């Protein structure tokens, strides 16, 4: 119902593993900002979360009632559902530093 997964993994994982990210991107149709946010998120996840993420895209033009569940006030909005706590980032996700900070992810070169 207006939801698609970009990771190719089932959207009904029983319990995510440690370090697994469950992300939900709210968009409104195929606007330039929505398309950019989807492209930027996929690139970001492939680079920083390879094999450890699920992306669910919710098009509010098709399912507007789903906005209330995550208190969506602007679009595009990315919601990090797992790991807790829930976090939100508004915008097209073009600023990698902002996305890293917003999702609480350390850049690859900062890891030991």
């Amino acid at each position: 119902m207006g939801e698609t997964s970009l990771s190719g993994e089932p959207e009904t994982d029983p319990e995510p593993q440690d370090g697994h990210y469950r992300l939900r991107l709210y968009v409104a149709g195929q606007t330039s900002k929505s398309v950019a946010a989807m492209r930027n998120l996929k690139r970001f996840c492939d680079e920083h979360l390879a094999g450890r993420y699920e992306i669910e895209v919710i098009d509010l033009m098709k399912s507007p009632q789903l906005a209330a569940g995550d208190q969506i006030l602007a679009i595009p909005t990315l919601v990090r559902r797992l790991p807790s706590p829930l976090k939100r980032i508004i915008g097209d996700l073009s600023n990698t530093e902002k996305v890293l900070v917003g999702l609480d992810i350390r850049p690859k070169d900062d890891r030991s």
Side-chain angles (χ1 to χ4, degrees):
M1 174 174 18
E3 301 173 8
T4 56
S5 175
L6 297 179
S7 67
E9 298 175 15
E11 293 183 42
T12 54
D13 271 352
E15 278 300 315
Q17 316 148 4
D18 287 337
H20 189 86
Y21 285 74
R22 186 168 292 161
L23 307 169
R24 185 175 283 175
L25 179 65
Y26 288 88
V27 297
Q30 294 294 306
T31 66
S32 59
K33 279 192 175 187
S34 295
V35 171
M38 287 185 272
R39 183 180 58 242
N40 291 333
L41 179 58
K42 180 71 170 132
R43 178 183 47 79
F44 175 86
C45 288
D46 286 345
E47 185 175 328
H48 295 280
L49 299 174
R52 301 183 300 132
Y53 69 92
E54 285 177 46
I55 299 172
E56 186 179 4
V57 177
I58 297 183
D59 186 342
L60 295 177
M61 298 295 279
K62 296 177 183 172
S63 306
Q65 72 280 8
L66 297 177
D70 280 323
Q71 300 173 347
I72 302 304
L73 303 175
I75 43 176
T77 295
L78 176 65
V79 177
R80 183 186 82 180
R81 300 187 59 78
L82 288 175
S84 295
L86 189 125
K87 295 194 175 231
R88 290 180 190 82
I89 302 172
I90 297 171
D92 68 4
L93 310 175
S94 59
N95 182 331
T96 300
E97 187 65 29
K98 180 180 172 185
V99 176
L100 285 169
V101 170
L103 294 180
D104 198 20
I105 297 171
R106 290 190 326 196
K108 282 183 181 179
D109 41 308
D110 286 357
R111 295 184 192 148
S112 325

